[in-house]
Amino acid sequence: FVVLIAANAGDDAAKKDLEKFQGNWQLISMERDGKKTPQEDAKKITLTIQGNKFVLRKDAVIISEGTMTLVSTKKPKAIDETITTGPNKGKAFSAIYEIDDEHHKICFAAAGKERPTAFSSLPGSGNLLQVWKREKK
């Protein structure tokens, strides 16, 4: 497949971040609307990212698939996801993210809501805050 890259710094930063996202991730914590997901439930969830596509699994069963677009020029960095398979099929989610070599943190707004401005999931916000750890090769 062919990827067209425009020659600006924002695209380069997004491309570098997208490269960091590649591979398999293990959910280590999740909070929605101020409620933490129990650790034993969170650790059943894995994420595989190839190119701009992602697959979310729980106990190895696919629960969601979609595509993502990074906007690394915003502060905090922004990500948009469109769900192609699963209960939220056809919905788009706006989020913010931070990523390094071992972890990424992502905070989603509810579908159709404004992108979050902080990594928080206060009661009533509808926000979903997740922390992922890269799975060892």
Side-chain angles (χ1 to χ4, degrees):
F1 65 105
V2 178
V3 178
L4 299 173
I5 303 293
N8 78 43
D11 285 347
D12 284 349
K15 189 176 167 206
K16 280 191 179 86
D17 278 357
L18 187 60
E19 285 170 14
K20 285 185 187 172
F21 271 110
Q22 301 304 299
N24 297 316
W25 298 87
Q26 175 74 55
L27 187 64
I28 53 177
S29 74
M30 182 163 70
E31 189 176 315
R32 185 190 303 269
D33 264 342
K35 292 186 184 73
K36 282 199 180 297
T37 298
Q39 194 71 43
E40 61 273 12
D41 291 340
K43 71 181 184 191
K44 294 176 181 177
I45 299 176
T46 58
L47 176 67
T48 302
I49 298 175
Q50 289 182 298
N52 72 332
K53 294 184 174 13
F54 65 87
V55 179
L56 195 64
R57 293 179 176 88
K58 182 174 182 179
D59 291 326
V61 175
I62 294 174
I63 51 176
S64 182
E65 293 181 82
T67 59
M68 57 192 225
T69 305
L70 305 181
V71 186
S72 59
T73 52
K74 292 189 187 245
K75 294 274 186 257
K77 293 178 178 184
I79 185 169
D80 294 313
E81 292 190 356
T82 303
I83 308 303
T84 55
T85 306
N88 287 313
K89 183 177 179 175
K91 290 185 181 170
F93 294 88
S94 296
I96 56 175
Y97 74 93
E98 286 176 354
I99 188 166
D100 62 29
D101 294 335
E102 294 299 317
H103 297 89
H104 78 265
K105 180 164 45 171
I106 190 161
C107 186
F108 290 97
K113 299 286 187 217
E114 288 288 309
R115 186 182 313 281
T117 55
F119 292 95
S120 68
S121 175
L122 299 172
S125 67
N127 288 358
L128 173 63
L129 178 63
Q130 297 175 324
V131 179
W132 297 85
K133 184 176 188 349
R134 182 178 298 286
E135 287 187 355
K136 297 287 179 246
K137 299 240 185 295

